[in-house]
Amino acid sequence: MASKRTVQVSPTPADKLWTPANIVTLVRICLVPVFVVALISPWPQWFGLPQVADDAKSLVAAGIFILISCTDWLDGYLARSRNEVTDFGKFMDPLADKILVAAALLALVELGSLPSWVVLVILAREFIVSGVRMVAASEGVVIAASWYGKFKTVFQMVAIVLFCVKDSYMVGSAGAAFSDGLWLLSWGVMIVALVLTVVSMLDYIAKARKLIGLGRPRSREAEELEEMEGLDALAARVLDAARASGRTLGTAESLTGGLIAVTLTDVAGSSDVVRGGVVSYAAEVKSDVLGVDAGAIERFGVVSAETARAMAAGARRELACDAAVAVTGIAGPGGAEPGKPVGTVWIGLSCGRHAEERLFSFEGSREEVRLATVRAALGMLLEALEGDPARC
């Protein structure tokens, strides 16, 4: 079963490029060369400061690195507090972190403070994870970052600061090295960072094993059972995210015929979160119950961004819930329209001040299209609930 996601249809004001958060991110990238120069160049001699010893130079470089690292928190805070989370920021923010870490590690190798194999392990992990994410994105699957990756980044940053402050005594007697407390601390933190680096990579690979061809061939029955178990786990995550944010949920379904609501309510204890669902299979039900404009249906069709948006808003209004997801599409085997083949699905989401619609194109049988729609709808809900609180 394959799926393809297109871009979001309805842009928001936060889609502008030059937001304060994005500017801070770009400044962070521009400061990386400053850190590298401060660490490896003989700048005290350049500026006629012979009194600045190598130890003091290392402290200056470490301070610049800490300053750059702190801007990572600042741009995230600005984006959330100002409701200016942009696609550009989502792309550049993690890229800036990777550029900073890679530059710092390569500079330490240049100074002889760090062996090259450490850098190879860390950079190889980034390449592998990026490749896995690209494959997952091409299939319309979002692999959520685990706590391993977040702690990995923290330990890498701390280890780099420690190595900037103190050489690692790579040459010399083992006794001299192990008698130095800062040497032990630096390598201890770096080893933890390396372990988390490898573990987080394996976690990504395990989550995407089927997408990258590492899963063993299974029977159709086993695949369907695994698909349902995966949906149950995803539904549980959605419910946990809703509880954590104090939100209630609702659904409006056409082609899935109530499967999204069933998947959510199959999880024990879901009654404290799920308000209900509306199965609006017929166009008249979409209009009479959910308030979808009949004229809009006539102009754009039931399988359209406009209908999905209105269905989500109507479900949220009629069910008095905080967030609602709506699906409308063509599950097949018949029903295809010009420009809308079997597998065309629009999913709408309404949550807080945030509303969006996404177009999906799923392949497979009728059941596969319906299950893929349920997964995508739950994924959109989870993304909204775990995202920027100011938007949803």
Side-chain angles (χ1 to χ4, degrees):
M1 177 172 59
S3 61
K4 181 180 179 182
R5 175 181 298 175
T6 66
V7 297
Q8 180 177 329
V9 173
S10 301
T12 66
D15 288 331
K16 59 184 180 180
L17 177 61
W18 296 111
T19 65
N22 289 345
I23 293 174
V24 170
T25 300
L26 293 176
V27 169
R28 181 156 84 253
I29 295 176
C30 293
L31 286 176
V32 172
V34 177
F35 160 72
V36 174
V37 170
L39 182 62
I40 67 177
S41 71
W43 59 268
Q45 286 73 30
W46 294 350
F47 294 100
L49 300 172
Q51 68 274 18
V52 179
D54 287 341
D55 289 344
K57 187 179 76 168
S58 298
L59 289 174
V60 171
I64 295 174
F65 183 86
I66 293 172
L67 175 65
I68 299 173
S69 301
C70 289
T71 62
D72 185 28
W73 169 84
L74 178 61
D75 60 14
Y77 170 77
L78 289 173
R80 290 187 296 270
S81 63
R82 297 169 59 91
N83 190 27
E84 292 178 340
V85 178
T86 66
D87 292 335
F88 180 80
K90 292 177 183 178
F91 169 72
M92 290 301 299
D93 183 57
L95 184 61
D97 293 336
K98 289 175 174 56
I99 292 173
L100 175 61
V101 170
L105 292 173
L106 292 173
L108 290 171
V109 171
E110 176 74 15
L111 292 173
S113 299
L114 194 67
S116 57
W117 65 266
V118 173
V119 183
L120 180 61
V121 170
I122 293 175
L123 294 185
R125 182 265 184 196
E126 298 302 333
F127 283 120
I128 292 172
V129 169
S130 296
V132 170
R133 281 175 169 170
M134 289 175 61
V135 173
S138 68
E139 297 292 333
V141 177
V142 176
I143 300 178
S146 65
W147 67 269
Y148 301 115
K150 297 175 183 178
F151 277 93
K152 173 266 302 179
T153 301
V154 172
F155 275 91
Q156 283 181 1
M157 297 288 191
V158 174
I160 288 171
V161 171
L162 291 173
F163 272 90
C164 288
V165 172
K166 180 69 174 176
D167 287 339
S168 61
Y169 295 101
M170 288 174 54
V171 292
S173 66
F178 282 95
S179 65
D180 190 295
L182 189 54
W183 184 92
L184 291 173
L185 177 62
S186 301
W187 271 106
V189 175
M190 181 60 77
I191 290 173
V192 174
L194 289 173
V195 171
L196 291 172
T197 296
V198 175
V199 171
S200 63
M201 177 189 69
L202 295 176
D203 179 61
Y204 270 102
I205 293 175
K207 291 177 179 177
R209 62 186 182 278
K210 291 184 64 178
L211 295 173
I212 58 179
L214 295 181
R216 293 182 299 174
R218 299 174 182 270
S219 65
R220 181 178 178 83
E221 292 75 13
E223 289 181 350
E224 290 180 352
L225 178 60
E226 183 176 333
E227 177 75 15
M228 293 307 300
E229 290 175 346
L231 289 177
D232 289 342
L234 180 57
R237 289 184 59 194
V238 171
L239 295 171
D240 288 341
R243 290 189 188 96
S245 59
R247 292 178 174 86
T248 54
L249 307 177
T251 65
E253 305 179 57
S254 184
L255 78 155
T256 49
L259 280 176
I260 301 173
V262 167
T263 304
L264 288 170
T265 55
D266 271 348
V267 180
S270 58
S271 59
D272 62 337
V273 171
V274 180
R275 291 280 298 171
V278 177
V279 178
S280 54
Y281 216 67
E284 293 80 6
V285 178
K286 293 178 176 64
S287 299
D288 298 340
V289 178
L290 295 175
V292 181
D293 182 58
I297 292 178
E298 186 175 350
R299 288 195 304 274
F300 304 108
V302 291
V303 182
S304 65
E306 291 76 12
T307 299
R309 181 193 309 127
M311 287 174 63
R316 186 176 168 195
R317 180 182 61 253
E318 296 301 324
L319 297 172
C321 57
D322 300 307
V325 67
V327 297
T328 178
I330 305 170
E337 302 175 7
K340 299 176 182 178
V342 171
T344 299
V345 176
W346 277 99
I347 301 181
L349 178 72
S350 177
C351 181
R353 292 180 293 171
H354 180 62
E356 68 173 293
E357 312 80 43
R358 293 182 189 175
L359 174 63
F360 295 80
S361 180
F362 299 117
E363 297 179 358
S365 65
R366 177 180 177 84
E367 187 62 24
E368 288 173 331
V369 170
R370 281 155 57 93
L371 289 176
T373 301
V374 174
R375 177 176 294 278
L378 292 176
M380 283 182 63
L381 265 178
L382 183 63
E383 181 181 328
L385 292 169
E386 292 185 341
D388 181 11
R391 298 179 70 190
C392 179

